[in-house]
Amino acid sequence: MISKGGSEALLRALMNAAQTAQPDYSVLLPLLRLLAKIGQRDKEFGLKVQKLEAIDVTLSLARKNLTHHLNLVHCLWVLRVYASSVSAGTMLGINGAMELLFKVITPYTKKHTRTVRAAIEALAALLKSKSNSRRADNRGYLCELLRLYQDWHRWDTSNKYIHIRRGLLLCLKRITNIQSARETFLSARGMEILFTTTQDCLDSKSLDPIVTAVAQILRKCYPKRPLPVATVHSSYSFSLPGNVNAEPPRAEPEDDYEDDGEKEVEKDLDNEDLEHKEEDEDLETDVNKLCSKPGLDRPEEDLEQYKAMCPELSFTFQVGQYCTHLRVIPNTAFMEQQPCRHRDQSAMRAVSGKRAFKIPLQNWVKKGKQIGTPAFEKQAMGESVHDADALDEREDPGKSHAPPLHPLLQDASWDTRMSHSDSMSCFSPIHVEAGGVSDVVTKLLERHHQDIPFHSPHCYLARAGSTKSIPDYRVLAFSDFWGHQPPAYNQSMLERKNGVQRAKVLEDVRRLIQPGDLIDRVVFDLDERSTDALDCLRFFSQFESGNLRKAIQVRKQEYDLIMNADVNSIQHHQWFYFEVSAMKPAVPYRFNIINCEKVNSQFNYGMQPVMYSVKEALQGKPHWIRVGYDICYYKNHYRRSAAAAGGERGKSYYTLTFTITFPHGEDVCYLAYHYPYTYSALMSHLDILEEMRNPNKVYYRQATLCQTLGGNPCPLLTITAMPESKSRDDLEQFCNRPYAVLMARVHPGESNASWVMKGTMEFLVSSDPIAELLRKCFIFKIIPMLNPDGVINGNHRCSLSGDDLNRQWLAPNSQLHPTIYHIKGLLYYLCNIGRVPLVFCDYHGHSQKKNVFLYGCSIKETLWQAGSTINTAVVTEDVGYRTLPKILDKVAPAFVMNSCSFLVEKSRESTARVVVWREIGVLRSYTMENTYCGCKSYAYLLFSCRGLQIGTRELEEMGAKFCLGLLILQLKSLPCSKNLMAQAAGLLDLEEEMTDRWAQRSE
Ligand SMILES: [Zn+2]
């Protein structure tokens, strides 16, 4: 009917019928009803109404019938539909529609409620237009609406008129989209009125819509404030080499902030459409850019240095050098230097007792630098390559540059914990005054069994001694030191209670309206000397990857927490990791992290933060577990300066709130965004891996890719199978294996990527027959942590230069982005000698999505998606990039093919994935995105893991399954020896795979 001109015909009929001297209402009323119905469906109704000049006619019809309620209500229905088009609504406003409606709805009356309701709904529709809202505010209607709402609230005791009350709230919600109306609202005590009236509504389910609407209005009108920190700049700064100015854009003075919330409100409405449109516009459609390979970004002769990073290719490997390279059994002197090489604890005790850590903890901070730790570091300073076999250097104690550390927690708080808690017998053996640190550790380990695979506290301690941080950390988080083992059980996603968010918002608003119980005192501040507040939780975060900046006790059991910005930056808050102690048993504590930046979070969809309890660990449960309830994530009233919001004005921060009842009183607990994995954890893990592998079978070399800006070596591993024999054939096979380059943790907040990498590395050096076979198929080059400094200093996104390193691949600066510069150099080198890697994969974490998936690169898929007119038939493209994700979809339960994408976006042109694909020519160049939350894949349901949160076990499994995927890929897509094939077939159930191998090729 609409497409056949029905709306126009009805409108014309209305004009004719209404404009006669004595309108015939028996015709008009059905006509009005029909128009109201049709108009709702007709997207262009507003336009048609204006074109046919029906607005005035309808308005005057309504005016004529002000006392005739049946006729009036029909007119109001139609007016409401007119007003659903903003331009028609504006016209109505100019022609006095709001005045008319106010005559109908004021003063409060319970007569003719059907008409009142229709008028309120028409008014709400009119207030969608900004100019109407402005007009209404100027005429004082906002205060009238508030009064009217109070009247209805007071007299509607039996909740018969919820729709009218809700309509009034909708009017208030729309009108307060403009700044001046929000000011009127505040001065008219709107916050108090709505907050107070709502208190009577909280217990009734039928009043849910009212409470929700009120919470929305209160949240929007809450006076905006700057974040309660002296400056949004990171507490830590780092002066960059050369004359580079690392100053981020200065945060502007807060008063220049013009908030007109409307833009954001409108955006909120049709976010999804907008996103899709933006996504498509972001696609690269320049075929030249997609297809051509740019030249080197550096002189070719510079690539020679990377030869040393590939000793597996060097000619000298063959005969004479063969044996020396295999010297892996440490001599006695070596063992003394390296407690962590030795898993036997009595040996370790002897070693560590002899040397370092003899000073009482209290003296550490001052005397720290003089106390020697074993020169454990691989002395790679200034060298780009260092082979793991160069033992001599390590034996030289003069080369030690490792600062000492407290092995456990902060000295002061440790003291308190001990003296305060007789009940805490698990801590009593550790008296910090009595012995050296090694004694503390030794006694702890004696009393409390600790045997976590691939982790050793001694080894961690030794490694942490040489980790360099900007704040010069002297304390280890117990959780990192003692180690984490996943609990035997799985944890399901948290079911979100109805109304959590609005309950939290109302609690926040109560600060403003009933400030009686507010404490509002700073109990922890990185920028100032710690306060000695009593009767509150204690916070601490000055340890590796920790990043709490400030804690404010808001109410007795509620704390606002502010995370530190990335070093040399004023933004990037998402990751958090801190220690909390002095808790009381069975008391719920509410924590609010108030400076989050992302618009949404998996915390709204079942994800919980993780916690580690020292008491639990010492009782044999060294687990990071998911904890917290009443979790939600929402926009708060702290405004971001334009600079801190990437140039956009009027943006707010977001709050992540969660409540925890700690498992023990007087415990020391750690809370984090996700399972932490520090740089020291990586370094000690690598030591253990090297020690545990079978040197006869596994070729394993740890070199240093380069030093980071912060002076930490960035490790580069080479893993493959030892040659079967010294025969020429076997050596040739050894050298000619294709390369697979894997890396992780360019983004420090993505600790999940490290756990996946841990799974990959452990699998690769294992004695699993599949791993053995895989090692024969590939030479693995692994950079497990591309941004050590970011990880160490608690950054979320950037390196010390304040740059996102995964946006620097097009032209990495050798000074500012050394790890990217050198890994790109190594890839160039491989490309230059004709050894383009078969697979490249960069492990990441995805904060918004569930499951695990890959991003790859395809010219054709990008052009198709962008709707490009280019004839893609002339573009030749190998579809081999799809094989690995298809395999992973089958073998890895967490992996989902449907979530994969192979589009090349302009905004990603400087990421590892796109640059390695385009410049190095790696067809299978991927970003692996790992969820922080959990999985919803079909496979997961089959494995009865419905709705479970992901743990480190699953992440590590993903890393191992990725390896399996690589083996199948190799067997499927490349010619390999019959021998290998037969072995593989025995190991894997490959029948199905083999049959579609041929189908695959013809694709
Ligand atoms: Zn990332």
Side-chain angles (χ1 to χ4, degrees):
M1 181 164 172
I2 292 166
S3 64
K4 296 258 158 58
S7 306
E8 287 92 334
L10 288 173
L11 282 167
R12 278 199 200 94
L14 173 71
M15 306 282 283
N16 293 336
Q19 280 170 321
T20 52
Q22 288 292 321
D24 178 359
Y25 284 92
S26 67
V27 177
L28 261 177
L29 294 192
L31 197 56
L32 287 166
R33 275 204 297 273
L34 204 54
L35 266 172
K37 266 193 189 158
I38 297 288
Q40 276 178 339
R41 300 279 170 90
D42 187 347
K43 280 186 188 154
E44 284 164 22
F45 195 62
L47 266 180
K48 293 172 185 172
V49 168
Q50 288 173 78
K51 213 164 148 193
L52 298 171
E53 296 174 349
I55 286 178
D56 268 350
V57 175
T58 317
L59 258 182
S60 62
L61 196 64
R63 279 197 189 97
K64 268 190 232 164
N65 286 289
L66 264 180
T67 52
H68 192 297
H69 287 276
L70 182 64
N71 295 348
L72 179 60
V73 80
H74 280 79
C75 296
L76 294 176
W77 288 334
V78 174
L79 287 177
R80 187 184 72 152
V81 180
Y82 289 179
S84 56
S85 138
V86 174
S87 59
T90 307
M91 282 296 294
L92 278 165
I94 293 168
N95 293 340
M98 286 193 295
E99 290 79 351
L100 172 82
L101 295 172
F102 262 86
K103 274 186 200 151
V104 180
I105 63 175
T106 52
Y108 163 78
T109 167
K110 268 194 186 171
K111 283 179 197 157
H112 309 295
T113 51
R114 191 161 73 138
T115 321
V116 172
R117 177 185 175 180
I120 289 173
E121 285 172 356
L123 181 63
L126 284 172
L127 290 172
K128 280 206 294 190
S129 136
K130 276 188 231 168
S131 73
N132 285 349
S133 287
R134 223 160 270 136
R135 189 187 315 266
D137 182 31
N138 291 340
R139 300 201 172 182
Y141 290 163
L142 195 154
C143 302
E144 295 261 355
L145 285 167
L146 266 175
R147 251 192 306 277
L148 204 53
Y149 177 75
Q150 273 175 298
D151 288 337
W152 277 101
H153 174 78
R154 189 173 309 133
W155 301 116
D156 182 26
T157 44
S158 53
N159 295 333
K160 252 179 85 184
Y161 301 104
I162 292 174
H163 43 267
I164 289 188
R165 289 154 70 187
R166 201 177 157 194
L168 287 167
L169 289 173
L170 188 60
C171 291
L172 286 168
K173 189 177 151 190
R174 296 250 165 93
I175 196 171
T176 48
N177 276 347
I178 61 168
Q179 169 78 15
S180 62
R182 285 198 291 277
E183 281 159 18
T184 312
F185 180 83
L186 289 176
S187 53
R189 300 185 49 252
M191 298 291 284
E192 287 91 326
I193 291 170
L194 292 193
F195 180 84
T196 320
T197 51
T198 305
Q199 298 310 308
D200 319 334
C201 304
L202 295 174
D203 298 327
S204 162
K205 186 99 183 89
S206 63
L207 295 176
D208 267 2
I210 302 243
V211 182
T212 303
V214 166
Q216 286 169 342
I217 298 168
L218 293 178
R219 189 147 64 106
K220 186 167 56 182
C221 296
Y222 200 115
K224 301 283 180 280
R225 287 182 187 155
L227 209 59
V229 282
T231 163
V232 288
H233 286 259
S234 173
S235 296
Y236 305 142
S237 67
F238 177 77
S239 49
L240 295 172
N243 280 327
V244 184
N245 183 7
E247 279 290 285
R250 288 228 68 92
E252 292 162 46
E254 302 293 350
D255 56 358
D256 80 346
Y257 166 84
E258 221 308 298
D259 177 28
D260 200 17
E262 288 158 275
K263 215 164 102 192
E264 225 173 324
V265 171
E266 279 165 21
K267 242 189 188 170
D268 283 351
L269 293 175
D270 39 33
N271 224 345
E272 221 159 274
D273 286 354
L274 213 74
E275 239 169 56
H276 281 295
K277 205 171 151 207
E278 279 171 8
E279 268 170 25
D280 279 1
E281 277 169 14
D282 187 28
L283 293 177
E284 184 58 78
T285 49
D286 181 343
V287 182
N288 271 339
K289 273 202 154 175
L290 287 171
C291 300
S292 72
K293 189 171 169 179
L296 280 179
D297 68 358
R298 63 195 83 192
E300 198 172 332
E301 54 273 22
D302 284 6
L303 299 183
E304 267 309 290
Q305 61 176 304
Y306 299 104
K307 189 175 177 183
M309 289 187 198
C310 305
E312 67 277 8
L313 294 179
S314 69
F315 184 65
T316 52
F317 183 81
Q318 284 187 13
V319 199
Q321 300 282 309
Y322 188 72
C323 291
T324 55
H325 272 267
L326 289 179
R327 183 156 62 93
V328 288
I329 300 156
N331 56 29
T332 328
F334 172 49
M335 270 157 56
E336 279 195 7
Q337 296 289 332
Q338 309 205 23
C340 112
R341 295 280 162 147
H342 221 285
R343 306 260 301 156
D344 173 53
Q345 294 196 351
S346 57
M348 279 199 271
R349 261 202 302 282
V351 169
S352 44
K354 206 158 78 183
R355 300 189 63 121
F357 310 132
K358 285 241 165 151
I359 303 292
L361 284 178
Q362 275 82 351
N363 296 334
W364 273 45
V365 175
K366 284 165 232 148
K367 296 191 184 167
K369 293 249 161 179
Q370 280 101 54
I371 309 157
T373 40
F376 196 73
E377 194 41 65
K378 289 191 177 168
Q379 298 300 324
M381 308 285 292
E383 303 167 23
S384 60
V385 178
H386 188 91
D387 200 294
D389 297 289
L391 301 179
D392 314 14
E393 284 176 344
R394 285 192 216 134
E395 286 164 10
D396 179 1
K399 286 207 177 183
S400 167
H401 50 77
L405 279 175
H406 297 190
L408 308 165
L409 317 173
Q410 178 199 24
D411 48 354
S413 54
W414 188 252
D415 280 344
T416 323
R417 267 167 224 134
M418 311 267 260
S419 54
H420 272 257
S421 54
D422 289 340
S423 60
M424 213 176 160
S425 58
C426 52
F427 282 149
S428 54
I430 321 147
H431 202 278
V432 287
E433 302 276 0
V437 169
S438 58
D439 286 348
V440 172
V441 175
T442 307
K443 279 186 183 154
L444 258 180
L445 287 166
E446 263 172 13
R447 284 191 75 120
H448 304 280
H449 187 64
Q450 195 278 15
D451 188 19
I452 297 172
F454 294 97
H455 182 84
S456 140
H458 282 281
C459 184
Y460 190 88
L461 194 61
R463 272 303 184 174
S466 21
T467 296
K468 294 192 181 67
S469 61
I470 293 180
D472 205 10
Y473 292 135
R474 305 264 143 201
V475 177
L476 300 184
F478 185 89
S479 41
D480 296 321
F481 159 77
W482 197 253
H484 154 76
Q485 192 167 29
Y489 51 91
N490 280 311
Q491 294 187 270
S492 48
M493 287 184 205
L494 188 72
E495 203 160 311
R496 190 173 162 122
K497 263 198 304 185
N498 204 15
V500 171
Q501 177 168 314
R502 63 178 206 212
K504 296 295 157 189
V505 168
L506 289 174
E507 259 184 56
D508 292 351
V509 172
R510 199 162 60 78
R511 297 184 190 186
L512 201 70
I513 292 160
Q514 299 166 351
D517 61 347
L518 283 194
I519 297 174
D520 243 332
R521 77 178 158 165
V522 177
V523 295
F524 173 78
D525 192 340
L526 255 195
D527 304 321
E528 284 163 36
R529 263 334 281 160
S530 286
T531 51
D532 283 327
L534 290 172
D535 197 25
C536 63
L537 291 177
R538 285 167 174 270
F539 292 88
F540 185 70
S541 79
Q542 282 124 307
F543 50 77
E544 204 177 328
S545 294
N547 70 341
L548 179 65
R549 177 176 197 165
K550 195 168 182 175
I552 302 163
Q553 185 180 21
V554 182
R555 284 181 270 235
K556 196 147 188 285
Q557 291 159 28
E558 182 179 353
Y559 294 83
D560 277 358
L561 308 176
I562 297 173
M563 297 301 124
N564 193 19
D566 282 8
V567 178
N568 282 4
S569 152
I570 54 175
Q571 50 184 342
H572 309 296
H573 310 94
Q574 185 175 328
W575 169 256
F576 61 85
Y577 186 16
F578 57 89
E579 180 196 292
V580 55
S581 58
M583 60 283 283
K584 295 195 169 71
V587 168
Y589 291 96
R590 178 180 169 189
F591 297 97
N592 309 306
I593 295 180
I594 59 170
N595 62 337
C596 303
E597 291 167 343
K598 297 228 167 184
V599 295
N600 204 349
S601 163
Q602 284 293 315
F603 284 118
N604 277 337
Y605 305 97
M607 184 166 88
Q608 294 171 288
V610 293
M611 185 194 74
Y612 187 103
S613 150
V614 171
K615 275 195 178 178
E616 290 280 300
L618 295 180
Q619 288 170 14
K621 290 172 274 181
H623 311 313
W624 279 104
I625 51 167
R626 304 274 188 172
V627 293
Y629 50 94
D630 285 0
I631 300 177
C632 59
Y633 186 93
Y634 55 90
K635 195 192 281 180
N636 63 32
H637 64 280
Y638 293 108
R639 63 190 178 209
R640 288 161 79 179
S641 65
E648 262 187 80
R649 287 170 173 275
K651 277 197 160 183
S652 294
Y653 285 104
Y654 289 76
T655 290
L656 161 66
T657 182
F658 53 89
T659 301
I660 292 179
T661 307
F662 291 98
H664 305 279
E666 296 298 325
D667 195 358
V668 178
C669 289
Y670 294 86
L671 293 172
Y673 179 72
H674 194 75
Y675 310 95
Y677 188 97
T678 62
Y679 172 73
S680 302
L682 168 72
M683 297 309 278
S684 57
H685 184 222
L686 294 183
D687 291 327
I688 294 168
L689 277 185
E690 185 170 358
E691 181 208 6
M692 288 180 80
R693 52 108 203 212
N694 177 349
N696 297 320
K697 290 191 164 176
V698 186
Y699 176 99
Y700 178 101
R701 290 290 179 278
Q702 183 183 332
T704 297
L705 178 71
C706 61
Q707 295 294 120
T708 65
L709 285 177
N712 293 293
C714 175
L716 164 70
L717 308 183
T718 306
I719 302 174
T720 186
M722 292 299 286
E724 304 257 305
S725 73
K726 287 186 221 170
S727 77
R728 176 164 288 277
D729 277 1
D730 281 339
L731 287 175
E732 230 161 60
Q733 196 277 335
F734 173 90
C735 291
N736 288 326
R737 294 167 189 164
Y739 277 94
V741 178
L742 311 177
M743 52 189 222
R745 212 70 189 280
V746 69
H747 293 143
E750 295 167 1
S751 60
N752 42 1
S754 276
W755 289 98
V756 178
M757 184 53 92
K758 180 172 185 280
T760 294
M761 295 189 298
E762 279 171 19
F763 183 78
L764 281 181
V765 300
S766 72
S767 55
D768 189 303
I770 291 175
E772 273 183 32
L773 201 55
L774 184 59
R775 287 193 298 264
K776 289 177 193 164
C777 292
F778 287 101
I779 299 171
F780 288 92
K781 288 282 179 198
I782 298 178
I783 306 90
M785 195 174 279
L786 261 178
N787 189 355
D789 295 342
V791 171
I792 293 165
N793 294 293
N795 282 7
H796 174 65
R797 186 82 181 172
C798 299
S799 71
L800 293 190
S801 63
D803 293 316
D804 179 344
L805 290 181
N806 202 31
R807 294 292 183 279
Q808 310 301 330
W809 277 73
L810 271 181
N813 180 302
S814 62
Q815 296 277 301
L816 294 178
H817 322 118
T819 58
I820 306 301
Y821 182 84
H822 289 295
I823 182 62
K824 193 178 175 188
L826 175 61
L827 286 161
Y828 268 141
Y829 173 75
L830 291 175
C831 177
N832 234 24
I833 59 169
R835 302 292 298 269
V836 173
L838 188 77
V839 175
F840 170 88
C841 189
D842 187 13
Y843 295 13
H844 283 251
H846 200 297
S847 71
Q848 306 281 355
K849 293 187 177 162
K850 295 200 166 63
N851 303 318
V852 178
F853 50 95
L854 293 183
Y855 289 137
C857 302
S858 157
I859 302 170
K860 286 193 177 180
E861 292 193 32
T862 304
L863 292 175
W864 288 331
Q865 178 67 35
S868 164
T869 51
I870 292 150
N871 176 14
T872 50
V874 299
V875 180
T876 51
E877 184 171 59
D878 185 339
V879 294
Y881 62 86
R882 274 187 165 263
T883 318
L884 181 61
K886 272 191 201 164
I887 295 167
L888 290 174
D889 190 58
K890 283 185 187 164
V891 301
F895 193 89
V896 173
M897 181 71 187
N898 277 344
S899 300
C900 296
S901 163
F902 306 95
L903 306 176
V904 182
E905 305 92 339
K906 286 181 220 157
S907 61
R908 303 289 155 88
E909 66 169 1
S910 202
T911 60
R913 161 180 63 104
V914 175
V915 170
V916 171
W917 169 71
R918 208 160 72 91
E919 296 192 28
I920 314 294
V922 177
L923 171 70
R924 297 171 189 84
S925 174
Y926 304 107
T927 300
M928 191 201 319
E929 295 285 2
N930 296 281
T931 181
Y932 288 92
C933 176
C935 296
K936 269 190 169 170
S937 72
Y938 175 68
Y940 241 62
L941 299 184
L942 282 182
F943 282 72
S944 71
C945 300
R946 178 179 224 132
L948 294 181
Q949 293 183 81
I950 206 153
T952 55
R953 189 188 294 113
E954 289 74 31
L955 291 166
E956 291 188 46
E957 184 198 355
M958 184 62 227
K961 286 290 165 67
F962 184 81
C963 296
L964 173 61
L966 285 179
L967 180 65
I968 299 174
L969 169 79
Q970 174 73 334
L971 299 175
K972 272 171 84 106
S973 53
L974 290 165
C976 56
S977 76
K978 272 189 186 159
N979 198 356
L980 214 56
M981 214 47 155
Q983 280 181 44
L987 288 170
L988 304 163
D989 185 18
L990 276 177
E991 267 180 53
E992 191 197 10
E993 298 289 345
M994 292 298 141
T995 39
D996 70 23
R997 176 175 172 181
W998 302 106
Q1000 189 80 41
R1001 285 192 167 170
S1002 53
E1003 231 176 44

